[in-house]
C-alpha cells in the first residue's frame, strides 16, 4: 500500500489549501484514514481522522471549525480542506492509513497505531 500526499504550499494567514492523499495498492474503503502534522522542533500531532464509509470524522481542537476531512473511495483519495489558516498551522502534513484491526477511539490520535504512511507535504502559512 502506498500513500502520496500533495497540495501543500505557501499561503498567507487567513487563506485556504486543500491537501489530497492518494492511496494505491489496496482499495481505500479498507482503511480508516487520518492526517497528522509535524512542525519544526515539535512532536507529530494528530489533525483529523475519517472512518471507512466517510462517517465519524474526528478533528483536533486546534483545527476544529477550520479544517474538514473527506474522502472519495471511488478515487482512492482522502482530502483535508484547510480554511482560515494560521501561522501555527505551518507543518509537514502526512496522511496515514489504519487497517484491520482498527484503532479504537481512545487511540486514534496515537500515530504509532497506523499501518501505512505517505511522505508529507509542507504547508507554510505566512503572517
Amino acid at each position: 500500500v502506498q500513500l502520496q500526499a500533495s497540495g501543500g504550499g505557501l499561503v498567507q494567514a487567513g487563506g485556504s489549501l486543500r491537501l489530497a492523499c492518494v492511496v494505491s495498492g489496496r482499495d481505500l474503503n479498507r482503511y480508516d484514514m487520518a492526517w497528522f502534522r509535524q512542525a519544526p522542533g515539535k512532536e507529530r500531532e494528530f489533525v483529523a481522522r475519517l472512518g471507512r464509509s466517510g462517517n465519524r470524522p474526528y478533528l483536533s481542537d486546534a483545527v476544529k471549525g477550520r479544517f474538514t476531512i473527506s474522502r472519495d473511495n471511488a478515487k482512492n483519495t482522502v482530502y483535508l480542506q484547510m480554511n482560515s489558516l494560521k501561522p501555527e498551522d505551518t507543518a509537514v502534513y502526512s496522511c496515514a492509513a489504519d487497517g484491520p484491526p482498527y484503532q479504537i477511539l481512545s487511540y486514534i490520535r496515537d500515530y504509532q497505531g497506523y499501518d501505512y504512511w505517505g511522505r508529507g507535504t509542507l504547508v507554510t502559512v505566512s503572517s
Side-chain angles (χ1 to χ4, degrees):
V1 177
Q2 293 189 324
L3 285 65
Q4 180 65 54
S6 63
L10 174 64
V11 63
Q12 288 189 327
S16 298
L17 282 175
R18 188 175 81 155
L19 306 184
C21 175
V22 178
V23 177
S24 59
R26 293 294 292 266
D27 286 339
L28 180 63
N29 58 20
R30 177 180 176 85
Y31 302 102
D32 291 346
M33 297 296 295
W35 289 93
F36 286 77
R37 68 185 182 184
Q38 188 165 19
K42 294 191 176 180
E43 299 272 326
R44 194 176 319 190
E45 175 188 17
F46 171 82
V47 176
R49 176 183 168 110
L50 188 61
R52 296 178 296 285
S53 300
N55 57 358
R56 295 176 290 139
Y58 296 99
L59 294 111
S60 70
D61 289 343
V63 307
K64 202 171 292 182
R66 301 187 297 121
F67 291 12
T68 303
I69 184 171
S70 62
R71 63 194 290 159
D72 185 338
N73 286 346
K75 295 183 178 179
N76 266 22
T77 303
V78 179
Y79 303 97
L80 185 68
Q81 177 66 44
M82 307 186 295
N83 299 328
S84 303
L85 282 160
K86 304 175 181 180
E88 51 263 44
D89 294 318
T90 295
V92 174
Y93 286 71
S94 301
C95 54
D98 176 23
Y102 302 101
Q103 295 278 70
I104 61 174
L105 186 58
S106 302
Y107 292 98
I108 64 171
R109 289 168 171 77
D110 183 355
Y111 72 89
Q112 296 182 83
Y114 288 81
D115 302 300
Y116 302 101
W117 288 85
R119 186 169 293 183
T121 184
L122 176 63
V123 172
T124 303
V125 184
S126 63
S127 56

